[in-house]
Coordinates of all heavy atoms in Angstrom, one line a residue:
E476 N 135.5 93.3 141.2 CA 134.7 92.1 141.1 C 134.0 92.1 139.7 O 133.5 93.2 139.3 CB 133.6 92.0 142.2 CG 134.2 91.9 143.6 CD 134.8 90.5 143.9 OE1 134.3 89.5 143.3 OE2 135.7 90.4 144.7
V477 N 134.0 91.0 139.0 CA 133.4 90.9 137.7 C 132.2 89.9 137.7 O 132.3 88.9 138.4 CB 134.4 90.6 136.6 CG1 135.5 91.7 136.6 CG2 135.0 89.2 136.8
P478 N 131.2 90.1 136.9 CA 130.0 89.2 136.9 C 130.4 87.9 136.2 O 131.2 87.9 135.3 CB 129.0 90.0 136.1 CG 129.7 91.0 135.3 CD 130.9 91.3 136.1
N479 N 129.8 86.8 136.7 CA 129.9 85.5 136.0 C 129.0 85.4 134.9 O 128.2 86.3 134.6 CB 129.8 84.4 137.1 CG 128.4 84.4 137.7 OD1 127.4 84.7 137.1 ND2 128.4 84.0 139.0
A480 N 129.0 84.2 134.2 CA 128.2 84.0 133.0 C 126.7 84.2 133.2 O 126.0 84.9 132.4 CB 128.5 82.7 132.4
S481 N 126.2 83.6 134.3 CA 124.7 83.7 134.5 C 124.3 85.1 134.9 O 123.2 85.6 134.6 CB 124.3 82.7 135.6 OG 124.9 83.0 136.9
E482 N 125.2 85.8 135.6 CA 124.9 87.2 136.0 C 124.9 88.1 134.8 O 124.1 89.0 134.7 CB 126.0 87.7 137.0 CG 125.8 87.0 138.4 CD 127.0 87.3 139.3 OE1 128.1 87.6 138.8 OE2 126.8 87.1 140.6
I483 N 125.8 87.8 133.8 CA 125.9 88.6 132.6 C 124.6 88.4 131.8 O 124.0 89.3 131.3 CB 127.1 88.2 131.7 CG1 128.4 88.7 132.4 CG2 126.9 88.7 130.3 CD1 129.6 88.3 131.7
E484 N 124.0 87.2 131.8 CA 122.7 86.9 131.2 C 121.6 87.8 131.8 O 120.8 88.4 131.1 CB 122.4 85.4 131.2 CG 123.2 84.5 130.3 CD 122.7 83.1 130.3 OE1 121.7 82.8 131.1 OE2 123.3 82.3 129.6
D485 N 121.6 87.9 133.1 CA 120.6 88.7 133.8 C 120.8 90.2 133.5 O 119.9 91.0 133.3 CB 120.7 88.5 135.3 CG 119.8 87.3 135.7 OD1 119.0 86.8 134.9 OD2 119.9 86.9 136.9
L486 N 122.1 90.6 133.4 CA 122.4 92.0 133.1 C 121.9 92.4 131.7 O 121.2 93.4 131.5 CB 123.9 92.3 133.1 CG 124.5 92.3 134.5 CD1 126.0 92.3 134.4 CD2 124.0 93.5 135.3
L487 N 122.1 91.5 130.7 CA 121.6 91.8 129.4 C 120.1 91.7 129.3 O 119.5 92.5 128.5 CB 122.3 90.9 128.4 CG 123.8 91.0 128.2 CD1 124.4 90.0 127.3 CD2 124.2 92.4 127.8
F488 N 119.5 90.8 130.0 CA 118.1 90.7 130.1 C 117.5 92.0 130.7 O 116.5 92.5 130.1 CB 117.7 89.5 131.1 CG 116.3 89.3 131.4 CD1 115.5 88.5 130.6 CD2 115.7 89.9 132.5 CE1 114.1 88.3 130.9 CE2 114.4 89.7 132.8 CZ 113.6 88.9 132.0
A489 N 118.0 92.5 131.7 CA 117.5 93.7 132.4 C 117.7 94.9 131.4 O 116.9 95.8 131.3 CB 118.2 94.0 133.7
S490 N 118.8 94.9 130.7 CA 119.1 96.0 129.8 C 118.1 96.1 128.7 O 117.7 97.2 128.2 CB 120.5 95.8 129.2 OG 120.8 96.8 128.2
K491 N 117.7 94.9 128.2 CA 116.7 94.9 127.1 C 115.4 95.6 127.6 O 114.7 96.3 126.8 CB 116.4 93.5 126.6 CG 117.6 92.8 125.9 CD 117.2 91.4 125.5 CE 118.4 90.7 124.8 NZ 118.1 89.3 124.5
I492 N 115.0 95.2 128.8 CA 113.7 95.8 129.3 C 113.9 97.3 129.5 O 113.0 98.1 129.2 CB 113.3 95.1 130.6 CG1 113.1 93.6 130.4 CG2 112.1 95.7 131.2 CD1 113.0 92.8 131.7
C493 N 115.1 97.7 130.1 CA 115.4 99.1 130.4 C 115.3 99.9 129.1 O 114.7 101.0 129.1 CB 116.8 99.1 130.9 SG 117.1 100.7 131.8
K494 N 115.8 99.4 128.0 CA 115.7 100.1 126.7 C 114.3 100.5 126.3 O 114.1 101.5 125.6 CB 116.4 99.2 125.7 CG 116.3 99.7 124.2 CD 117.0 98.7 123.3 CE 116.7 99.0 121.8 NZ 117.2 98.0 120.9
H495 N 113.3 99.7 126.7 CA 112.0 99.9 126.2 C 111.1 100.4 127.3 O 109.8 100.3 127.3 CB 111.4 98.5 125.7 CG 112.1 98.1 124.4 ND1 111.6 98.5 123.2 CD2 113.2 97.3 124.2 CE1 112.4 98.0 122.2 NE2 113.4 97.3 122.8
T496 N 111.7 101.0 128.4 CA 110.9 101.6 129.5 C 111.1 103.1 129.5 O 112.2 103.6 129.2 CB 111.4 101.0 130.8 OG1 111.3 99.5 130.7 CG2 110.5 101.4 132.0
K497 N 110.1 103.8 129.9 CA 110.1 105.3 129.9 C 111.2 105.8 130.8 O 111.3 105.4 132.0 CB 108.8 105.9 130.2 CG 107.6 105.6 129.3 CD 107.7 106.4 128.0 CE 106.5 106.2 127.1 NZ 106.6 106.9 125.9
S498 N 111.9 106.8 130.4 CA 113.0 107.4 131.2 C 112.4 108.4 132.2 O 111.3 109.0 131.9 CB 114.0 108.1 130.3 OG 114.6 107.2 129.4
N499 N 113.0 108.6 133.3 CA 114.2 107.9 133.8 C 113.7 106.6 134.4 O 112.6 106.5 135.0 CB 114.8 108.7 135.0 CG 115.6 109.9 134.6 OD1 116.4 109.9 133.7 ND2 115.3 111.0 135.2
T500 N 114.5 105.5 134.1 CA 114.1 104.2 134.6 C 115.2 103.4 135.2 O 116.4 103.6 134.9 CB 113.5 103.4 133.4 OG1 113.0 102.2 133.8 CG2 114.6 103.1 132.3
I501 N 114.8 102.6 136.1 CA 115.7 101.6 136.7 C 114.9 100.3 136.6 O 113.8 100.2 137.0 CB 116.0 101.9 138.2 CG1 116.9 103.2 138.3 CG2 116.7 100.7 138.9 CD1 118.3 103.0 137.8
V502 N 115.6 99.2 136.2 CA 115.0 97.9 136.1 C 115.8 96.9 137.0 O 117.0 96.9 137.0 CB 115.1 97.4 134.7 CG1 114.7 95.9 134.6 CG2 114.1 98.2 133.8
L503 N 115.0 96.2 137.8 CA 115.6 95.2 138.7 C 115.2 93.8 138.2 O 114.0 93.5 137.9 CB 115.1 95.4 140.1 CG 115.3 96.8 140.7 CD1 114.7 96.8 142.1 CD2 116.8 97.2 140.7
A504 N 116.1 92.9 138.1 CA 115.8 91.5 137.6 C 116.7 90.5 138.2 O 117.8 90.8 138.7 CB 116.0 91.5 136.1
K505 N 116.2 89.2 138.2 CA 117.0 88.1 138.7 C 116.5 86.8 138.1 O 115.3 86.6 137.9 CB 116.9 88.0 140.2 CG 117.8 86.9 140.8 CD 118.0 87.1 142.3 CE 116.7 87.0 143.1 NZ 117.0 87.0 144.6
N506 N 117.4 86.0 137.6 CA 117.1 84.7 137.0 C 116.1 84.9 135.8 O 115.1 84.2 135.7 CB 116.5 83.8 138.1 CG 117.4 83.4 139.2 OD1 118.7 83.4 139.0 ND2 116.9 83.3 140.4
K507 N 116.4 85.9 135.0 CA 115.6 86.2 133.8 C 114.1 86.4 134.1 O 113.2 86.0 133.4 CB 115.8 85.1 132.8 CG 117.2 85.0 132.2 CD 117.3 84.1 131.0 CE 118.6 84.2 130.3 NZ 118.7 83.3 129.1
Q508 N 113.9 87.1 135.2 CA 112.6 87.6 135.6 C 112.6 89.0 136.0 O 113.5 89.4 136.8 CB 112.0 86.7 136.7 CG 110.6 87.1 137.2 CD 110.2 86.4 138.5 OE1 111.0 85.9 139.2 NE2 108.9 86.3 138.7
L509 N 111.7 89.8 135.5 CA 111.6 91.2 135.9 C 111.0 91.2 137.3 O 109.9 90.7 137.5 CB 110.7 92.0 134.9 CG 110.3 93.4 135.4 CD1 111.6 94.3 135.5 CD2 109.3 94.0 134.4
L510 N 111.8 91.8 138.3 CA 111.3 91.9 139.6 C 110.5 93.2 139.8 O 109.5 93.2 140.5 CB 112.5 91.9 140.6 CG 113.4 90.7 140.5 CD1 114.4 90.7 141.6 CD2 112.6 89.3 140.5
A511 N 111.0 94.3 139.2 CA 110.3 95.6 139.3 C 111.1 96.6 138.5 O 112.2 96.4 138.2 CB 110.2 96.0 140.8
S512 N 110.3 97.7 138.2 CA 111.0 98.8 137.5 C 110.4 100.1 138.0 O 109.3 100.2 138.4 CB 110.8 98.7 136.0 OG 109.5 98.7 135.6
G513 N 111.3 101.1 138.0 CA 110.8 102.5 138.2 C 110.7 103.1 136.9 O 111.7 103.1 136.1
T514 N 109.6 103.7 136.6 CA 109.4 104.2 135.2 C 109.0 105.7 135.1 O 108.2 106.1 135.9 CB 108.2 103.4 134.5 OG1 107.0 103.6 135.2 CG2 108.6 101.9 134.6
G515 N 109.5 106.4 134.2 CA 109.1 107.7 133.9 C 109.3 108.7 135.0 O 108.5 109.7 135.1
Q516 N 110.3 108.5 135.8 CA 110.5 109.4 137.0 C 111.4 110.6 136.6 O 112.3 110.5 135.7 CB 111.1 108.6 138.1 CG 110.3 107.5 138.6 CD 108.9 108.0 139.1 OE1 108.8 108.8 140.0 NE2 107.9 107.5 138.5
T517 N 111.3 111.7 137.3 CA 112.1 112.9 137.1 C 113.5 112.8 137.6 O 114.3 113.6 137.2 CB 111.4 114.1 137.6 OG1 111.0 113.9 139.0 CG2 110.1 114.4 136.8
S518 N 113.7 111.8 138.5 CA 115.1 111.6 138.9 C 115.4 110.1 139.0 O 114.4 109.3 139.2 CB 115.3 112.2 140.3 OG 114.9 111.3 141.3
R519 N 116.6 109.7 138.8 CA 117.0 108.3 138.8 C 116.8 107.7 140.2 O 116.5 106.5 140.3 CB 118.4 108.2 138.2 CG 118.7 106.8 137.6 CD 119.9 106.9 136.6 NE 119.6 107.9 135.6 CZ 118.8 107.6 134.6 NH1 118.2 106.4 134.5 NH2 118.5 108.5 133.7
V520 N 117.1 108.5 141.2 CA 116.9 108.1 142.6 C 115.5 107.7 142.8 O 115.2 106.6 143.4 CB 117.4 109.1 143.6 CG1 117.0 108.8 145.0 CG2 118.9 109.3 143.5
D521 N 114.5 108.5 142.3 CA 113.1 108.2 142.5 C 112.8 106.9 141.7 O 112.0 106.1 142.2 CB 112.3 109.4 141.9 CG 112.3 110.6 142.8 OD1 112.7 110.5 144.0 OD2 111.9 111.7 142.4
A522 N 113.3 106.7 140.6 CA 113.0 105.5 139.8 C 113.5 104.3 140.5 O 112.8 103.3 140.6 CB 113.7 105.6 138.4
L523 N 114.7 104.4 141.1 CA 115.2 103.2 141.9 C 114.4 103.0 143.1 O 114.1 101.8 143.4 CB 116.7 103.5 142.3 CG 117.4 102.5 143.2 CD1 117.3 101.1 142.6 CD2 118.8 102.9 143.5
N524 N 114.1 104.0 143.9 CA 113.2 103.8 145.1 C 111.9 103.2 144.7 O 111.4 102.3 145.4 CB 113.1 105.1 145.8 CG 114.3 105.5 146.6 OD1 115.0 104.7 147.1 ND2 114.5 106.8 146.7
Q525 N 111.3 103.7 143.6 CA 110.0 103.1 143.2 C 110.2 101.6 142.9 O 109.3 100.8 143.3 CB 109.5 103.8 141.9 CG 108.2 103.4 141.4 CD 107.8 103.9 140.0 OE1 108.6 103.8 139.1 NE2 106.7 104.6 139.9
A526 N 111.2 101.2 142.2 CA 111.4 99.8 141.9 C 111.6 99.0 143.1 O 111.1 97.9 143.2 CB 112.6 99.7 140.9
I527 N 112.4 99.5 144.0 CA 112.6 98.7 145.3 C 111.4 98.5 146.1 O 111.1 97.4 146.5 CB 113.7 99.4 146.1 CG1 115.1 99.4 145.5 CG2 113.8 98.8 147.5 CD1 116.1 100.2 146.1
V528 N 110.6 99.6 146.2 CA 109.3 99.4 146.9 C 108.4 98.4 146.2 O 107.8 97.6 146.9 CB 108.6 100.8 147.0 CG1 107.2 100.7 147.5 CG2 109.4 101.7 147.9
K529 N 108.3 98.5 144.9 CA 107.4 97.6 144.2 C 107.9 96.1 144.4 O 107.1 95.2 144.6 CB 107.4 97.9 142.7 CG 106.5 99.1 142.4 CD 106.4 99.3 140.9 CE 105.4 98.2 140.3 NZ 105.1 98.5 138.9
A530 N 109.2 95.9 144.3 CA 109.7 94.6 144.4 C 109.4 94.0 145.8 O 109.0 92.8 145.9 CB 111.2 94.6 144.2
K531 N 109.6 94.8 146.8 CA 109.3 94.3 148.2 C 107.8 94.1 148.4 O 107.4 93.2 149.1 CB 109.8 95.3 149.2 CG 111.4 95.3 149.2 CD 111.9 96.3 150.2 CE 113.4 96.2 150.3 NZ 114.0 97.2 151.3
N532 N 106.9 95.0 147.8 CA 105.5 94.8 147.9 C 105.0 93.4 147.4 O 104.0 92.9 147.8 CB 104.8 95.9 147.1 CG 104.8 97.2 147.9 OD1 105.1 97.3 149.1 ND2 104.4 98.3 147.2

Side-chain angles (χ1 to χ4, degrees):
E476 297 287 330
V477 299
N479 60 37
S481 63
E482 290 167 342
I483 288 174
E484 287 187 358
D485 271 350
L486 287 171
L487 295 178
F488 173 89
S490 173
K491 290 177 180 179
I492 301 171
C493 198
K494 172 183 169 182
H495 292 272
T496 305
K497 296 287 187 180
S498 299
N499 289 310
T500 185
I501 293 288
V502 168
L503 307 179
K505 184 164 65 174
N506 300 326
K507 292 190 175 181
Q508 179 186 22
L509 172 62
L510 305 184
S512 60
T514 63
Q516 298 301 301
T517 52
S518 83
R519 205 156 302 283
V520 169
D521 287 345
L523 174 56
N524 285 327
Q525 181 189 53
I527 291 170
V528 169
K529 285 189 71 174
K531 290 181 177 179
N532 283 345

